[in-house]
Amino acid sequence: RYAAFNVVSIATTTGYSSTDFNLWPIFAPLWMLFLCSFASCSGSTGSGMKMIRAQILFKQVLRELLRIMHPRVYNPVKLAGHPIENNVVFAVLAYAFVYVFCIIVFTLLLALSGADVVTAFSAAVASINNTGPGLARVGPTSTYAVLNDFQIWVCSFAMLLGSMKMITLLVVSAFRVSNTNLKIVSSMQGRQEAVASATAAIEQVISSGFFTENPSIVAATPIDVDINGDTNADFTVTMAAPRCL
């Protein structure tokens, strides 16, 4: 009962506690802090990165691992069966970087001002996620009043940064600044899609039973290629008539 209530409360950034989970094995409260960073749903009043961003990050990691093994593969990130545009994926990656960077900065500032590592890290995570209780000196049986003035100001700024979605504003600003680089990456992605479409069309033509009889007619027939699997043609490939060399 205590475990269920406190885990759900911290994971959803509600902030209530009914027992001192500081006394639990260290894995449990650390896992609760991890959950409060990702467990909130999009559109909810919960803070943190949100579950949908965690899903996109996880699928992007899987896509990059697959691309390492198969450099020419086309494998878009999808949610609920619908492909996610690359600019959305890039924005989520930028958000994740800023989010982690802010936690590191706030943790170092708190540690620099005299807080122990566990207190500094948990206070930074709990503040930026608007969770409430942290660990050690800012645990569920204590308050942030035990911190000095500078530490309280740091935690207050972290709380405002998280609650007012200022991280999103920072990411949007950085995203606009790097718009040129993103256009270059998008062009490269479009080229990869075109190459994948041409490869699929060539394989389809070669595998055709009529290709050996009338190669010119078969090769000259336009071929619609569906890259993202939405049953709509993304590319139309037309090949030149084959020539013997």
Side-chain angles (χ1 to χ4, degrees):
R1 180 181 62 181
Y2 288 113
F5 177 83
N6 286 274
V7 169
V8 172
S9 176
I10 299 302
T12 57
T13 68
T14 304
Y16 295 117
S17 60
S18 60
T19 186
D20 186 7
F21 49 76
N22 256 333
L23 303 177
W24 295 358
I26 189 61
F27 171 79
L30 285 178
W31 179 248
M32 292 163 65
L33 282 179
F34 174 80
L35 289 178
C36 77
S37 300
F38 300 99
S40 299
C41 296
S42 60
S44 71
T45 56
S47 298
M49 287 193 61
K50 308 287 189 179
M51 181 60 70
I52 190 170
R53 291 192 182 99
Q55 286 182 283
I56 293 176
L57 287 174
F58 179 74
K59 293 187 176 185
Q60 173 64 14
V61 170
L62 293 181
R63 179 168 76 164
E64 292 303 320
L65 291 176
L66 181 62
R67 185 171 294 175
I68 291 174
M69 295 183 290
H70 306 283
R72 301 182 66 180
V73 70
Y74 177 74
N75 182 33
V77 175
K78 293 184 179 181
L79 281 178
H82 299 285
I84 304 298
E85 296 182 2
N86 284 329
N87 60 340
V88 176
V89 177
F90 297 150
V92 172
L93 290 172
Y95 183 95
F97 173 80
V98 175
Y99 178 83
V100 174
F101 178 77
C102 288
I103 290 178
I104 293 174
V105 170
F106 292 137
T107 300
L108 292 176
L109 288 175
L110 292 173
L112 181 65
S113 60
D116 61 273
V117 175
V118 176
T119 299
F121 174 73
S122 62
V125 174
S127 296
I128 203 168
N129 291 332
N130 290 269
T131 302
L135 301 176
R137 294 176 60 201
V138 292
T141 59
S142 180
T143 67
Y144 285 76
V146 299
L147 303 178
N148 59 41
D149 292 343
F150 175 77
Q151 294 168 344
I152 291 176
W153 275 107
V154 171
C155 291
S156 299
F157 181 73
M159 182 192 68
L160 292 174
L161 195 65
S163 63
M164 298 178 66
K165 309 305 178 188
M166 291 176 64
I167 292 181
T168 304
L169 298 179
L170 292 175
V171 170
V172 170
S173 300
F175 187 70
R176 289 178 178 176
V177 170
S178 60
N179 189 38
T180 302
N181 292 334
L182 292 178
K183 288 182 178 179
I184 294 175
V185 174
S186 298
S187 299
M188 294 175 61
Q189 181 69 23
R191 180 181 179 278
Q192 292 178 355
E193 293 177 2
V195 171
S197 300
T199 302
I202 292 173
E203 293 176 353
Q204 181 176 338
V205 168
I206 294 176
S207 61
S208 173
F210 299 100
F211 180 70
T212 55
E213 300 176 4
N214 299 296
S216 299
I217 297 177
V218 174
T221 303
I223 299 175
D224 293 331
V225 180
D226 178 17
I227 289 294
N228 55 22
D230 60 355
T231 69
N232 295 322
D234 299 301
F235 291 89
T236 299
V237 180
T238 302
M239 291 178 289
R243 294 182 300 171
C244 295
L245 298 178

Short mmCIF file of all heavy atoms in Angstrom, two decimals, residues 9 41 49 150-151 163 170 183 190 233:
data_model
loop_
_atom_site.label_atom_id
_atom_site.label_comp_id
_atom_site.label_asym_id
_atom_site.label_seq_id
_atom_site.Cartn_x
_atom_site.Cartn_y
_atom_site.Cartn_z
N SER A 9 2.45 8.72 -6.62
CA SER A 9 2.46 10.14 -6.28
C SER A 9 3.70 10.84 -6.83
O SER A 9 3.61 11.92 -7.43
CB SER A 9 2.38 10.31 -4.77
OG SER A 9 2.49 11.68 -4.41
N CYS A 41 1.80 12.15 -18.79
CA CYS A 41 1.27 12.06 -20.15
C CYS A 41 1.26 13.44 -20.80
O CYS A 41 1.17 14.46 -20.13
CB CYS A 41 -0.14 11.48 -20.14
SG CYS A 41 -0.24 9.78 -19.56
N MET A 49 9.72 15.36 -18.79
CA MET A 49 9.85 15.26 -20.24
C MET A 49 8.59 14.76 -20.93
O MET A 49 8.44 14.91 -22.13
CB MET A 49 11.02 14.34 -20.60
CG MET A 49 12.37 14.94 -20.35
SD MET A 49 13.67 13.98 -21.12
CE MET A 49 13.21 14.08 -22.84
N PHE A 150 20.94 30.76 -1.14
CA PHE A 150 21.37 30.56 -2.52
C PHE A 150 20.76 29.28 -3.09
O PHE A 150 20.29 29.26 -4.24
CB PHE A 150 22.89 30.50 -2.59
CG PHE A 150 23.41 30.19 -3.96
CD1 PHE A 150 23.45 31.17 -4.95
CD2 PHE A 150 23.87 28.91 -4.28
CE1 PHE A 150 23.93 30.88 -6.22
CE2 PHE A 150 24.35 28.61 -5.54
CZ PHE A 150 24.38 29.60 -6.52
N GLN A 151 20.77 28.20 -2.31
CA GLN A 151 20.22 26.94 -2.77
C GLN A 151 18.72 27.04 -3.02
O GLN A 151 18.20 26.46 -3.97
CB GLN A 151 20.52 25.84 -1.75
CG GLN A 151 22.00 25.51 -1.63
CD GLN A 151 22.31 24.65 -0.42
OE1 GLN A 151 21.50 24.52 0.50
NE2 GLN A 151 23.51 24.06 -0.41
N SER A 163 8.05 24.43 -14.53
CA SER A 163 6.59 24.61 -14.48
C SER A 163 6.08 25.54 -15.57
O SER A 163 4.97 25.36 -16.07
CB SER A 163 6.19 25.17 -13.11
OG SER A 163 6.75 26.46 -12.90
N LEU A 170 13.26 27.63 -24.67
CA LEU A 170 14.69 27.61 -24.99
C LEU A 170 14.96 26.70 -26.18
O LEU A 170 15.75 27.03 -27.06
CB LEU A 170 15.49 27.14 -23.77
CG LEU A 170 15.52 28.08 -22.56
CD1 LEU A 170 16.25 27.42 -21.41
CD2 LEU A 170 16.19 29.40 -22.93
N LYS A 183 17.65 22.11 -42.28
CA LYS A 183 17.28 22.00 -43.69
C LYS A 183 18.27 21.13 -44.44
O LYS A 183 17.91 20.34 -45.32
CB LYS A 183 17.21 23.39 -44.32
CG LYS A 183 16.01 24.21 -43.86
CD LYS A 183 15.97 25.55 -44.55
CE LYS A 183 14.73 26.35 -44.12
NZ LYS A 183 14.69 27.68 -44.79
N GLY A 190 15.86 13.40 -47.55
CA GLY A 190 15.11 13.27 -48.80
C GLY A 190 15.90 12.53 -49.86
O GLY A 190 15.33 11.74 -50.63
N ALA A 233 1.46 6.74 -52.66
CA ALA A 233 2.74 6.79 -53.38
C ALA A 233 3.52 8.03 -52.96
O ALA A 233 3.02 9.15 -53.04
CB ALA A 233 2.50 6.79 -54.88
#
